[in-house]
Amino acid sequence: VLACLFALTVTMAAVGQGDNLLGNPGFEGGVTAEGIPESGWYRAYGDANSRWVLQTGDAHSGDKCMRLEAPTIPEHNPSVTIEQAVPVTPGRSYVLRAWVRGTPGAEGLLAMVWLAADRRWISHTGQQFRYRDEWAARWLIGVAPQGAALGVARVDIRQPGTAWVDDVYLAERKVQTLTANVPGGKVTAGQAFRFAVKAADADGLPVAGEAVQITFAGSGNGGLLPRGGVGNPTRSVKLATDVNGEVSVTVQPSSRPGLTDTITASCGATSLRLQLHTAKLGQPRSYSLRPSAIIGSPGEPIAVSVHLLGACGERVPIAGRRLSFSVEGAGQVAPRQALTDRNGAARVTLRLPRTLYERAAVSVRDAQGLSGRCEEVVVAPPVRKNLVRVGPDGHFVLPDGEPFLPLGGLYANWVHRVEEGRCGDIAAWSFSDVNDEQLREWFAYLRDNGVNALRAMLRDHTARGCEPMDIIGRANPNLLRRWEHFMEVARPYGIRFLVTLHESWYATYAAYFDPEVMEKCVLPYYTAEELASLPPHRARFLVGKRMLESTDAP
């Protein structure tokens, strides 16, 4: 892994964002016989009380805007929607933006719905938000999936209230910048490294489906190794950016020191150029420390390997360097001092504390002033013995290698009421609002009906609000203990859990966005001393109460 990296950005100002694909995006035209704006707009869902009104005055721009009135919300397809379908190309990246205002706090959805040529539903890309009593721009980006022929721009309101929509914009996104993380100047002769290029639009957002040409030039025997470094070096490859706007190749520098290789990446009229100077192993610059695990059990010893590195991340074999070790956070390291061996390496042991969820990291410094630090190791409960893991073939297996097929996949966060051997259709309780007897009745019912897996989202919809696992930069200890107990009760019934470790932080119930969740479900877990010592990026939310204005805000 190369250590000296810098960001190289080249901007192309000649190409702007794509043209709006929507007809009558500002609702300035006439209306159809049904009262819907002309040029492809149509209404969807709603009930007998819903109204779609082309309003004159109080628009975001121009004279008119669309008003959605939702006194009531139907149970089936619960929203009042205005939408328009346009042709799209699979694999291409699109941006959708709409200006909206509405009943404060009412929930809305901005979405791109992807349809096949026969208008069969394929998938959708959506962003929930809450309306405010002032015009605000909501936007999202999405990539048309395989088989998509139409993209439906959709704006709705899904709680009782009124919404106004104006200046809707749907366009194919165009590349404005290319950015690459590349070695700075010198590289080790013959030592391969990954070269990644990211294409972005004018807003700095990744653009998928763009063709990027990468070429290699030099007087030596270097080249490009696509597909993870397999195959003979080539001088040029053309790759399509993925959903993150990125392409990558493995670069094999010339094997002789003292040569200059040149890498060029281009996308349309945009290009970047980089020169690499090959060199022998450099002078020592830093230390690399790698723990054998980043999650450990209370009191567990964790091995930490130490290597002396050169300027380009290569290992430098120098013996006899005196090293001093220390621990950041909790835990102990032994020995506290050591000498590098003939490979420029050493090994120490980090012993974790016995307190759950503490963090520890080992740092090193030598007599010459070079230093390094390993990743943090987190103290977690001991690993359970009946875990489901992913086997070499990508299928689920039990610890003994027996295949495991998850059946059921029901939403674990809600526990259903079981009476006389029958289960109601609607969830009755949050999983932490029930007693163990009710849990056992629910798990027995699942087992007896062939269910062996539940899908768990790491949150809890309690009576006081949605309690998240992520309480602004750290795990919710109380909720974590409740989940552990929930899973322990399920164990005798053969129920496993498919856990979403990181989920939609952008949802409207997230603490970063919802001040009610912040006040009721997050702040009670912090002391005044902890709040006073927070870093700025967390204090913004917990102390300054500066929430995200929209779920797509930075």
Side-chain angles (χ1 to χ4, degrees):
V1 178
L2 293 163
C4 13
L5 300 178
F6 70 92
L8 174 66
T9 304
V10 178
T11 302
M12 176 182 64
V15 178
Q17 291 292 80
D19 295 332
N20 197 344
L21 300 176
L22 299 173
N24 191 18
F27 307 103
E28 298 299 319
V31 295
T32 66
E34 293 79 21
I36 299 301
E38 296 175 333
S39 302
W41 290 106
Y42 54 95
R43 64 191 188 187
Y45 308 134
D47 58 20
N49 298 318
S50 305
R51 296 186 65 203
W52 291 259
V53 180
L54 184 62
Q55 174 178 300
T56 300
D58 295 327
H60 173 255
S61 69
D63 296 325
K64 300 175 182 177
C65 63
M66 193 66 202
R67 186 171 79 240
L68 310 179
E69 296 181 0
T72 56
I73 298 294
E75 291 186 9
H76 183 64
N77 294 323
S79 65
V80 176
T81 302
I82 186 76
E83 54 189 44
Q84 183 179 152
V86 298
V88 295
T89 303
R92 305 297 293 182
S93 183
Y94 294 85
V95 58
L96 174 62
R97 184 191 64 220
W99 284 86
V100 298
R101 70 179 181 92
T103 301
E107 190 173 283
L109 176 73
L110 180 70
M112 284 183 277
V113 181
W114 310 109
L115 304 178
D118 60 1
R119 303 190 75 87
R120 174 178 49 84
W121 185 89
I122 298 176
S123 64
H124 86 284
T125 305
Q127 176 70 71
Q128 289 183 327
F129 61 88
R130 292 194 185 275
Y131 281 98
R132 294 185 295 170
D133 192 20
E134 59 185 20
W135 288 105
R138 309 295 183 185
W139 59 265
L140 60 85
I141 59 175
V143 178
Q146 197 67 31
L150 296 172
V152 181
R154 172 180 292 176
V155 188
D156 75 20
I157 182 170
R158 45 190 49 215
Q159 288 179 338
T162 303
W164 290 262
V165 182
D166 202 1
D167 297 328
V168 188
Y169 174 81
L170 173 62
E172 186 176 324
R173 296 169 58 232
K174 301 297 183 181
V175 174
Q176 292 279 60
T177 63
L178 289 178
T179 304
N181 286 332
V182 294
K186 280 190 176 181
V187 295
T188 303
Q191 182 171 313
F193 63 91
R194 178 176 175 268
F195 177 66
V197 178
K198 178 171 286 187
D201 65 8
D203 297 314
L205 300 172
V207 180
E210 289 287 347
V212 177
Q213 185 87 32
I214 301 177
T215 59
F216 180 96
S219 57
N221 61 347
L224 306 174
L225 301 173
R227 300 181 183 87
V230 178
N232 296 322
T234 183
R235 290 300 174 114
S236 180
V237 295
K238 180 179 284 188
L239 302 168
T241 56
D242 61 17
V243 293
N244 297 313
E246 187 173 289
V247 296
S248 65
V249 296
T250 299
V251 176
Q252 181 78 50
S254 297
S255 59
R256 286 196 299 117
L259 299 180
T260 298
D261 298 328
T262 301
I263 301 175
T264 303
S266 59
C267 180
T270 307
S271 65
L272 59 85
R273 186 170 179 268
L274 168 72
Q275 287 191 331
L276 304 176
H277 305 286
T278 60
K280 293 182 179 180
L281 293 177
Q283 295 296 315
R285 293 293 181 87
S286 63
Y287 287 91
S288 168
L289 287 77
R290 294 191 178 277
S292 57
I294 60 172
I295 298 177
S297 299
E300 179 183 1
I302 301 293
V304 179
S305 60
V306 184
H307 291 279
L308 181 61
L309 301 182
C312 296
E314 74 278 13
R315 292 184 179 181
V316 181
I318 298 179
R321 290 232 170 182
R322 184 170 298 279
L323 309 178
S324 297
F325 297 91
S326 60
V327 176
E328 298 179 24
Q332 297 179 338
V333 62
R336 299 295 297 260
Q337 292 189 335
L339 296 176
T340 57
D341 60 20
R342 62 181 182 179
N343 297 313
R347 186 182 179 93
V348 295
T349 299
L350 168 65
R351 185 166 293 279
L352 297 177
R354 297 194 173 276
T355 306
L356 289 179
Y357 313 120
E358 291 281 1
R359 298 172 180 268
V362 176
S363 296
V364 66
R365 180 174 292 275
D366 67 13
Q368 290 75 22
L370 302 184
S371 62
R373 181 182 184 274
C374 75
E375 296 179 82
E376 287 187 336
V377 182
V378 179
V379 184
V383 175
R384 294 175 174 83
K385 296 181 180 181
N386 65 340
L387 292 177
V388 175
R389 58 184 177 85
V390 177
D393 58 358
H395 296 167
F396 289 120
V397 295
L398 298 176
D400 60 2
E402 179 184 354
F404 175 79
L405 178 64
L407 300 175
L410 302 174
Y411 192 27
N413 298 60
W414 296 98
V415 174
H416 292 241
R417 186 189 304 274
V418 179
E419 294 180 345
E420 299 181 354
R422 297 180 61 86
C423 176
D425 295 332
I426 302 176
W429 305 285
S430 156
F431 76 89
S432 61
D433 289 340
V434 296
N435 57 42
D436 285 0
E437 180 180 355
Q438 292 165 324
L439 284 179
R440 285 190 286 269
E441 289 177 346
W442 170 230
F443 291 139
Y445 178 87
L446 294 174
R447 177 201 59 197
D448 295 344
N449 285 274
V451 174
N452 65 9
L454 296 177
R455 177 171 55 92
M457 304 293 181
L458 291 181
R459 58 176 183 256
D460 188 13
H461 297 274
T462 65
R464 65 176 181 175
C466 180
E467 186 175 345
M469 181 64 77
D470 178 1
I471 52 174
I472 313 296
R474 84 177 187 196
N476 182 334
N478 182 277
L479 181 56
L480 187 57
R481 285 191 290 270
R482 298 204 305 267
W483 268 114
E484 290 171 348
H485 178 73
F486 188 36
M487 294 178 181
E488 285 297 326
V489 177
R491 185 197 300 268
Y493 300 90
I495 305 293
R496 265 77 174 186
F497 291 80
L498 305 180
V499 179
T500 301
L501 295 179
H502 178 72
E503 60 158 331
S504 49
W505 63 267
Y506 49 80
T508 52
Y509 49 71
Y512 298 91
F513 177 75
D514 192 322
E516 184 177 359
V517 172
M518 167 72 76
E519 291 291 339
K520 292 183 177 180
C521 301
V522 173
L523 282 174
Y525 291 111
Y526 283 86
T527 66
E529 292 76 12
E530 289 173 327
L531 293 174
S533 60
L534 290 172
H537 64 280
R538 294 173 64 198
R540 162 191 171 169
F541 298 98
L542 291 158
V543 180
K545 309 295 177 61
R546 291 185 293 113
M547 318 301 294
L548 297 179
E549 292 187 2
S550 65
T551 54
D552 52 25

